[in-house]
Amino acid sequence: MLDLTLLVLPVFGLIALGYLAALTGLLNDRANEGLTGYLFVIGAPALLFKLVTAATFPTAISWGYWIAYYAGMVVVWIAAMAGAAFLFGRSRGETVIAGLSAGQANTVMIGIPIILKAYGDDAAFPIAMLLAINLPITMTAATLMLEGSRSSSGSGIARKLAFGLASHPLLLGIAAGVLAQLVGYRPSGPIGTAVDMLAATTVPLSLVTLGLSLKAYGVKADVPVALMVSVLRLFVHPAIAYVIAGPIFALPPAWTGTVVLFAAMPAGINAYLFAARYGEGVGIASTSVAISTLLSVLGSVIWLRVLGVG
């Protein structure tokens, strides 16, 4: 257990550092916005580009990998929406945010650091592939659910989705990496050094920025709903992924570990940003991010132990 704690301690220690920096006023909201913008547009795309270009593409990807993650995601998304509606009497928009908070994990800021520490370069390709598929699926589903109940036309929703996905920096970074793989290009020389330097900034800055964000967003309201979301996010989703990836499909250790740990990550900041954009369920999203991130310290150690890491 001590080895596992030491594995995740640097990750959550940097989150705590960011929170303390915000709490004491050493870094303010402007710093948070600047760091978030840098990571979203430059740092994270550079890291994803590096991971994809350095990865060894398998000849085939087992359907079990996708089923393990998305079967669990569908279950927790529907369960969160149903719980928010029938147990807590939330509006349609708020139930969508509850579902998104349960289904959208913080894969970039916390998932990548923990998975790379646990499995190293063997996890590079499964990480990149899951990120490439997951972001469009979750954002499209949530947008359709909210926009579908509003006055926007079907063509308007489609245009908005197409533009948002085609211009998303994370997806562009992954696409550039795949293209580089297809043409046999591996960054080297000055370009390779620059990519390595940018990628190296991403993990530590992401963790510190998450700490700043937790202070900015905080626990605003809807604690019961957020607790339900956190349990679904941290324990139910990875349990389903573990059973499907391990006993049913017998995926390789790095692939099983990647899908389970991704599923075990806390609610992502994207859920809060999405809620704030639409003015729906902001309290649910922000509180889910804060509570699930705190509980994910324990959750990460538990799932690493289950996976036999450390």
Side-chain angles (χ1 to χ4, degrees):
M1 184 65 74
L2 178 61
D3 289 343
L4 298 179
T5 303
L6 293 176
L7 180 66
V8 302
L9 184 61
V11 173
F12 293 100
L14 288 179
I15 296 173
L17 178 63
Y19 186 87
L20 288 174
L23 187 67
T24 57
L26 291 175
L27 293 174
N28 56 24
D29 289 343
R30 290 183 61 187
N32 184 20
E33 292 173 4
L35 287 171
T36 300
Y38 162 77
L39 290 166
F40 186 71
V41 176
I42 298 176
L47 175 60
L48 293 173
F49 176 77
K50 178 183 177 181
L51 288 175
V52 175
T53 54
T56 300
F57 281 30
T59 55
I61 301 175
S62 170
W63 281 104
Y65 184 65
W66 307 116
I67 295 171
Y69 191 84
Y70 288 106
M73 191 187 81
V74 169
V75 169
V76 298
W77 192 309
I78 294 174
M81 291 185 66
F86 299 116
L87 294 179
F88 302 106
R90 296 298 187 255
S91 68
R92 174 173 175 145
E94 289 174 323
T95 64
V96 172
I97 298 303
L100 176 62
S101 298
Q104 174 72 51
N106 194 337
T107 51
V108 174
M109 288 186 174
I110 301 181
I112 289 177
I114 290 178
I115 294 169
L116 289 180
K117 278 182 172 293
Y119 294 100
D121 291 340
D122 289 342
F125 185 75
I127 285 173
M129 290 301 96
L130 195 51
L131 280 175
I133 299 297
N134 192 55
L135 186 65
I137 287 177
T138 54
M139 290 297 101
T140 299
T143 301
L144 288 174
M145 287 179 185
L146 279 180
E147 292 283 359
S149 62
R150 300 186 174 192
S151 58
S152 298
S153 65
S155 60
I157 297 173
R159 284 195 299 270
K160 184 182 296 185
L161 283 172
F163 177 78
L165 295 176
S167 60
H168 199 289
L170 298 183
L171 297 181
L172 291 175
I174 293 171
V178 172
L179 180 61
Q181 277 270 15
L182 292 176
V183 301
Y185 173 73
R186 294 289 178 94
S188 60
I191 294 178
T193 300
V195 170
D196 289 344
M197 291 173 68
L198 289 172
T201 67
T202 303
V203 169
L205 283 183
S206 292
L207 298 172
V208 172
T209 303
L210 178 56
L212 296 174
S213 298
L214 290 177
K215 173 60 176 64
Y217 305 146
V219 178
K220 295 187 176 180
D222 297 297
V223 171
V225 180
L227 284 171
M228 174 193 68
V229 167
S230 297
V231 171
L232 291 169
R233 171 77 261 130
L234 300 174
F235 300 104
V236 177
H237 190 181
I240 295 172
Y242 178 77
V243 170
I244 295 175
I248 295 179
F249 282 97
L251 297 179
W255 289 75
T256 298
T258 297
V259 76
V260 171
L261 291 174
F262 258 55
M265 291 301 104
I269 293 295
N270 276 341
Y272 172 83
L273 298 176
F274 189 88
R277 175 186 174 189
Y278 282 96
E280 299 271 9
V282 176
I284 292 174
S286 65
T287 306
S288 295
V289 171
I291 292 177
S292 63
T293 300
L294 180 63
L295 294 178
S296 67
V297 180
L298 174 63
S300 297
V301 171
I302 290 174
W303 286 111
L304 285 166
R305 187 179 182 88
V306 170
L307 292 165
V309 177

